[in-house]
Amino acid sequence: MLQGIRNASQHWLGKIVLTIIFALLIAGVGIFGVEEFFRGGSSNNVATVGSTPITAEQVRQAYQNQLQRYQAQLKRALTPDQARMLGIDRAVMSQLITEAALDQKTHDLGLGVPDASVIRAIHDEKSFQNAQGQFEPQLFYQTLQRAGLNETLFVREQRAVIARLQLAEAVSSDLHVPAAMREAVHRYSTERRSAAYLMLTPSVAGEIPAPTEDELKTWYDANKSGFRAPEFRAATLLVVDPEAMAKPEAITDADAKAAYELNKARYGSPEKRTIQQIVFPDAAAAEAARKAIEDGSKTFEAVAEERRTGGTDLTLGTLTKAELFDKVVADAAFALPEGGVSQPVQGRFGTVLLRVTKIEPGTVKPFEEVEGEIRKSLALTRARDAMETTRDAIEDQRAGAKPLADIAAERGLKLVTVKAVDPQDKAPDGQRVADIPDPDTTLPALFRAEIGGDNEPLRTKSGGYVWYDVTGIDAAHDKPLDEVRDGVKAGWTAAEIAKRLQAKGRELVEKLNGGATIEAVAQEVGVNTQEAQDLSRNQAKDMLTADDVNLIFATPVGKAGTAAAGNSRAVFKVTSATMPAFVADTQADKTITKNFQAALADDVLSQYISEVQKNAGVKIDQAALRRAIGGEY
């Protein structure tokens, strides 16, 4: 059943009911206080659905779990305000209320899950099985222990999860998709259209006179947001990077040579051998064959032919010792001289005779050739090991109000001075700002901080740290017209061209719908006509964008229309529409049915849960919710 639960989690209900408990268990993540997650009977309730409570601890743990997921995806920490802007609190409450509503309904209906079903579900869950696919009690208890759970609480929650899913499946399974809906989907997806069209290019708009000052100002006022300067910030960054701190020259000769001897295999290529193998039913047959080869009465190839072994079955390949799966065979093969035949070898898959036909000696680079690489590697490892000590020392200096510039000078560390940068890592001139380490992490932190704020250091991808102080903030603002006059003029001109092309397009559409031919209107504006065949919805073709094509599908056959196409404008006339006949129970129809059964199930289940919540009654204590999540919102 837990396998079924995992499959059910592919749709939204399964995700709702499994997100909090099961994800924690499978991941083995022990969150502080998680044992309280399942504890009922608390009077400190944030909400109730009917008589089913949602405790403050449930909300707190669900919120923290969801917050950690977002932070892992975004690879940065989220402030409470940012989390609320993302709607994490609302999503968590919606999820918990949905679960409580299903629990309330299963209670009202008297539904229960017998012990045997829960035990079978646990035994069938692959996360609790060993390599042989058998339930492993020790693995089960270890997983619970890592998650901070005990058996009683876990079984109780899984019983509730199974009951919720059974109720949901009873409500939404085996829904019938009406033939009318399937036919409508078939028509939508299989219809193909053809259209004749022409393109009105900017040259058709004619000469555009220079705008007056009033026209420029009016257009600028209406489109001011397009000329808004982003917020820029100035900052000082103290960068502690392991590569910069690594001192290869400080590595002694003795340490470098010891590392070389310990990892000598890394500095060359291992010996390889081309190995042939003949498999025998027993040791006696193998020994008889070996003696025949040894006294010259038979060749190795002749024996192989008698054993019906040839080609890829005879030659294992040219392999290193580590690449041979069977250790006994590997030891025997690499003890032979080139051309030598082994004694019978009892391998994992039978008794074999081995022959080595070629030996490619291994090579090892001399110490002098790789000395620099070794010193650099050792120095980098030591620098990384010293990172936390360096961090603590700098934090102590920061606590004493020592400026970053003084710390950098004293310790010989890199100090980056950023004069102005926007959230996209651009300077005011539009060029990328260099030297900002891990901008994906550092820039969001810079734009969350305040001047004079006490900021925690950032961990870099290389294993180092970045301390930062915001030294200046230039707030986002609208650029004055004089500063962006050229851009405003270009925008006004483009808008004027589009307006003229739109008017011309409407004029031509009226002529086409009035009986004029597409060739005649094309000749009028001095452009060529084109034909688009086999058009599909949402698919661009030739000079027509996807939006143009969708407008063609929205226009009756024989009628004309017009649509923007980049900086040009298309004028078209729909010439034909075709579609294959709808035939029930074909493979295509079955695919439509399958897809829409899931969509209908989601809709029906959503409506059912809403009705359950309405009938049971949902009460939320906003003050308790704020206390559980933390802060005001």
Side-chain angles (χ1 to χ4, degrees):
M1 175 61 79
L2 287 189
Q3 181 63 35
I5 291 173
R6 180 195 290 143
N7 294 335
S9 71
Q10 298 304 309
H11 66 73
W12 72 272
L13 173 79
K15 292 177 182 177
I16 288 175
V17 297
L18 296 177
T19 294
I20 305 302
I21 304 300
F22 211 63
L24 282 174
L25 178 66
I26 301 306
V29 178
I31 298 177
F32 177 76
V34 73
E35 67 276 7
E36 291 294 325
F37 182 74
F38 301 107
R39 188 173 297 162
S42 172
S43 61
N44 184 23
N45 295 334
V46 170
T48 55
V49 180
S51 59
T52 302
I54 300 174
T55 68
E57 191 59 31
Q58 282 179 292
V59 174
R60 186 178 301 113
Q61 295 298 339
Y63 179 79
Q64 289 300 321
N65 184 44
Q66 192 77 324
L67 183 62
Q68 288 175 7
R69 287 202 183 109
Y70 270 86
Q71 291 177 154
Q73 291 173 359
L74 297 173
K75 297 181 180 178
R76 62 182 177 86
L78 292 175
T79 65
D81 287 342
Q82 290 172 331
R84 283 190 285 272
M85 287 176 64
L86 289 171
I88 295 177
D89 52 346
R90 296 185 295 277
V92 165
M93 283 306 300
S94 175
Q95 173 180 300
L96 293 176
I97 289 171
T98 295
E99 291 180 356
L102 291 172
D103 289 344
Q104 179 66 42
K105 193 62 178 179
T106 57
H107 178 269
D108 294 344
L109 295 173
L111 300 179
V113 179
D115 292 344
S117 296
V118 179
I119 293 171
R120 184 171 62 253
I122 293 174
H123 281 206
D124 289 344
E125 172 52 42
K126 292 189 180 298
S127 299
F128 304 142
Q129 294 176 354
N130 57 26
Q132 289 72 44
Q134 300 170 331
F135 175 73
E136 185 68 58
Q138 184 177 0
L139 180 60
F140 172 69
Y141 289 115
Q142 286 175 346
T143 305
L144 293 185
Q145 186 178 18
R146 286 197 301 270
L149 308 175
N150 62 46
E151 180 182 358
T152 302
L153 293 174
F154 175 68
V155 170
R156 182 190 307 163
E157 181 57 27
Q158 292 316 301
R159 194 189 304 276
V161 168
I162 295 170
R164 293 171 198 158
L165 283 174
Q166 289 178 337
L167 175 61
E169 290 169 357
V171 170
S172 60
S173 63
D174 296 328
L175 293 175
H176 175 67
V177 182
M181 175 183 287
R182 287 155 33 215
E183 183 173 2
V185 174
H186 167 80
R187 289 174 60 88
Y188 182 88
S189 60
T190 62
E191 182 182 359
R192 298 293 180 266
R193 290 201 169 195
S194 298
Y197 68 97
L198 57 89
M199 280 291 175
L200 300 178
T201 61
S203 62
V204 176
E207 186 70 26
I208 306 296
T212 66
E213 188 66 19
D214 287 343
E215 287 174 328
L216 269 186
K217 190 174 186 310
T218 300
W219 193 89
Y220 165 75
D221 289 339
N223 298 274
K224 196 176 288 186
S225 61
F227 300 95
R228 187 171 177 80
E231 179 180 329
F232 284 93
R233 294 201 167 198
T236 300
L237 311 175
L238 174 62
V239 183
V240 178
D241 184 73
E243 292 191 9
M245 292 184 65
K247 306 296 182 186
E249 66 278 5
I251 303 299
T252 65
D253 291 344
D255 287 346
K257 289 178 180 178
Y260 172 76
E261 292 297 331
L262 187 63
N263 301 283
K264 187 176 288 188
R266 291 174 47 190
Y267 305 113
S269 57
E271 177 184 330
K272 288 187 176 184
R273 296 190 170 205
T274 302
I275 304 166
Q276 294 179 326
Q277 172 182 279
I278 304 174
V279 181
F280 294 87
D282 51 52
E287 177 61 23
R290 188 196 68 78
K291 287 181 177 179
I293 294 170
E294 188 176 84
D295 63 24
S297 60
K298 291 182 182 179
T299 64
F300 193 85
E301 288 78 6
V303 173
E305 187 175 347
E306 289 178 1
R307 296 295 306 157
R308 297 181 180 179
T309 302
T312 56
D313 292 333
L314 177 61
T315 302
L316 296 178
T318 302
L319 309 167
T320 66
K321 190 173 183 178
E323 289 173 333
L324 283 165
F325 176 71
D326 194 324
K327 185 178 184 302
V328 175
V329 171
D331 290 341
F334 275 78
L336 291 172
E338 186 169 323
V341 177
S342 72
Q343 297 290 328
V345 178
Q346 185 59 50
R348 291 190 180 187
F349 305 108
T351 304
V352 300
L353 286 183
L354 304 169
R355 182 171 73 168
V356 174
T357 60
K358 182 181 179 182
I359 297 176
E360 298 178 7
T363 61
V364 178
K365 295 179 181 178
F367 172 74
E368 291 73 20
E369 190 174 332
V370 295
E371 182 180 0
E373 178 185 343
I374 293 172
R375 289 181 181 276
K376 183 176 180 181
S377 177
L378 285 176
L380 185 58
T381 299
R382 293 180 182 180
R384 285 177 175 154
D385 292 342
M387 272 297 105
E388 297 309 311
T389 301
T390 303
R391 176 191 182 278
D392 292 343
I394 293 176
E395 281 291 275
D396 289 342
Q397 290 180 295
R398 291 280 284 168
K402 198 163 193 174
L404 291 179
D406 293 349
I407 297 174
E410 179 181 314
R411 295 179 171 272
L413 298 173
K414 183 179 180 181
L415 188 72
V416 177
T417 301
V418 180
K419 294 182 178 179
V421 64
D422 71 6
Q424 281 69 50
D425 196 18
K426 299 290 181 62
D429 62 1
Q431 299 298 311
R432 181 179 176 275
V433 177
D435 294 333
I436 295 181
D438 289 355
D440 291 343
T441 299
T442 304
L443 286 174
L446 285 181
F447 280 82
R448 288 194 303 267
E450 297 296 335
I451 295 176
D454 185 15
N455 307 313
E456 288 292 321
L458 305 172
R459 192 70 188 257
T460 66
K461 296 173 184 175
S462 63
Y465 286 95
V466 176
W467 284 263
Y468 59 97
D469 284 334
V470 176
T471 57
I473 299 176
D474 183 8
H477 61 277
D478 295 327
K479 295 180 182 179
L481 175 57
D482 288 341
E483 186 177 326
V484 294
R485 183 174 295 273
D486 290 343
V488 172
K489 184 177 179 180
W492 178 90
T493 302
E496 190 66 19
I497 290 173
K499 187 190 304 181
R500 292 191 181 191
L501 293 182
Q502 185 179 39
K504 190 64 177 178
R506 285 197 298 263
E507 177 189 330
L508 298 182
V509 167
E510 290 177 4
K511 291 182 178 181
L512 289 170
N513 287 334
T517 65
I518 190 86
E519 292 78 12
V521 297
Q523 186 176 4
E524 176 185 330
V525 293
V527 299
N528 296 322
T529 60
Q530 300 183 62
E531 189 76 20
Q533 305 283 346
D534 197 33
L535 296 172
S536 303
R537 281 186 171 87
N538 304 312
Q539 298 292 323
K541 188 166 185 180
D542 300 331
M543 299 179 67
L544 298 172
T545 67
D547 289 339
D548 296 339
V549 171
N550 289 340
L551 190 55
I552 288 173
F553 274 86
T555 303
V557 176
K559 294 295 183 180
T562 180
N567 61 353
S568 299
R569 191 166 193 87
V571 176
F572 60 84
K573 185 173 184 178
V574 183
T575 56
S576 68
T578 60
M579 70 188 71
F582 172 72
V583 180
D585 296 326
T586 61
Q587 186 57 49
D589 182 43
K590 290 177 181 178
T591 300
I592 293 172
T593 300
K594 181 180 178 181
N595 292 338
F596 274 82
Q597 275 181 329
L600 287 174
D602 284 348
D603 288 344
V604 169
L605 190 56
S606 178
Q607 293 177 25
Y608 178 77
I609 291 173
S610 296
E611 192 66 19
V612 169
Q613 292 177 4
K614 178 181 176 182
N615 293 336
V618 178
K619 297 179 181 179
I620 301 176
D621 185 336
Q622 295 294 339
L625 176 59
R626 285 193 293 271
R627 288 194 299 271
I629 293 178
E632 297 292 329
Y633 63 93

